[in-house]
Amino acid sequence: EPEVTQTPSHQVTQMGQEVILRCVPISNHLYFYWYRQILGQKVEFLVSFYNNEISEKSEIFDDQFSVERPDGSNFTLKIRSTKLEDSAMYFCASSDVVRETQYFGPGTRLLVL
Amino acid sequence: AQSVTQPDIHITVSEGASLELRCNYSYGATPYLFWYVQSPGQGLQLLLKYFSGDTLVQGIKGFEAEFKRSQSSFNLRKPSVHWSDAAEYFCAVATSGGSNYKLTFGKGTLLTVNP
């Protein structure tokens, strides 16, 4: 069964450093998403992406965040200058043209020190 | 704005007992409703979903959920819990506007299964 994959599974970084989280969505999917879950809190929507542009972004997704689909298979989330409060589990998801169901990857646990 | 409430943070049941996890939502239009499960170190796996039609939906692993519009609820049930069901369960509602489509999640319910 096709699945969404994410790398790395864990990342530790220093405050102020740039990080790139990578995702490989399911191959025939067209809609891509990033969510995050701060420890003990809800899973929160960050951004949705379609046709090489952002469809919607939340208030969390400020100028330090960016997304990109650099090639036909990868979907990345970049955090330009990490803050302590960016420590969270980041989930990538994708859905097909019908968009009925979002399929999630296993997540990347980011720890900012 | 849409919201999802899962009133129970942590539930403990004995193996073989029945289970009901509660979920209430707030959304102006007809909601698309989902239950996801997250095992330790794993991603979010879809258990079941409701879009329209029969209000009782069947999912994987023997789970079912019932949509009750009058109560704004979408509770998850299983008649007999297995030790492998221990995990965190998230209820979510899909909201859309134009081409946008995002999930709003509840805080989750952690399920512990006693032998």
Side-chain angles (χ1 to χ4, degrees):
Chain A
E1 184 177 330
E3 58 183 21
V4 177
T5 59
Q6 291 185 243
T7 54
S9 58
H10 294 79
Q11 176 136 13
V12 181
T13 190
Q14 295 292 321
M15 190 170 55
Q17 295 296 304
E18 174 183 288
V19 295
I20 297 177
L21 310 183
R22 291 182 168 80
C23 168
V24 178
I26 294 172
S27 62
N28 63 340
H29 285 186
L30 301 176
Y31 295 85
F32 314 113
Y33 313 83
W34 283 101
Y35 292 80
R36 80 172 184 189
Q37 183 183 28
I38 295 172
L39 191 63
Q41 298 187 24
K42 296 183 181 186
V43 177
E44 303 171 287
F45 168 80
L46 290 178
V47 65
S48 58
F49 189 86
Y50 170 71
N51 200 26
N52 283 319
E53 60 183 28
I54 291 174
S55 304
E56 185 178 357
K57 59 184 180 180
S58 70
E59 295 175 348
I60 305 166
F61 195 88
D62 60 23
D63 291 344
Q64 70 160 339
F65 291 92
S66 62
V67 289
E68 191 178 30
R69 187 155 164 82
D71 53 44
S73 60
N74 289 283
F75 179 51
T76 62
L77 174 69
K78 182 192 291 186
I79 309 175
R80 262 181 271 283
S81 178
T82 50
K83 304 172 188 170
L84 296 176
E85 55 264 37
D86 293 328
S87 295
M89 177 76 91
Y90 288 82
F91 292 107
C92 173
S94 69
S95 61
D96 62 19
V97 63
V98 178
R99 294 182 298 154
E100 285 187 347
T101 302
Q102 293 181 27
Y103 294 89
F104 284 78
T108 293
R109 184 167 294 284
L110 176 66
L111 178 60
V112 182
L113 301 176
Chain B
Q2 64 282 351
S3 65
V4 176
T5 302
Q6 293 180 247
D8 304 305
I9 297 172
H10 188 191
I11 284 183
T12 299
V13 300
S14 297
E15 192 169 16
S18 63
L19 172 70
E20 182 170 30
L21 302 182
R22 295 182 289 165
C23 172
N24 293 95
Y25 68 91
S26 172
Y27 183 51
T30 300
Y32 292 173
L33 294 160
F34 303 81
W35 276 97
Y36 284 87
V37 61
Q38 184 181 28
S39 299
Q42 303 295 312
L44 295 164
Q45 181 184 22
L46 178 70
L47 281 177
L48 47 76
K49 58 190 178 185
Y50 171 79
F51 293 151
S52 64
D54 192 346
T55 56
L56 184 64
V57 293
Q58 303 296 320
I60 62 171
K61 305 184 180 186
F63 285 92
E64 66 178 26
E66 186 171 13
F67 170 59
K68 293 185 177 179
R69 184 186 298 276
S70 61
Q71 298 177 19
S72 297
S73 70
F74 188 57
N75 294 346
L76 181 71
R77 300 194 294 249
K78 187 170 184 178
S80 178
V81 169
H82 188 262
W83 64 266
S84 60
D85 294 325
E88 189 152 24
Y89 292 79
F90 294 92
C91 181
V93 61
T95 57
S96 63
S99 62
N100 303 323
Y101 192 81
K102 65 182 181 184
L103 293 173
T104 298
F105 285 86
K107 281 195 168 183
T109 298
L110 181 64
L111 174 66
T112 298
V113 180
N114 287 335

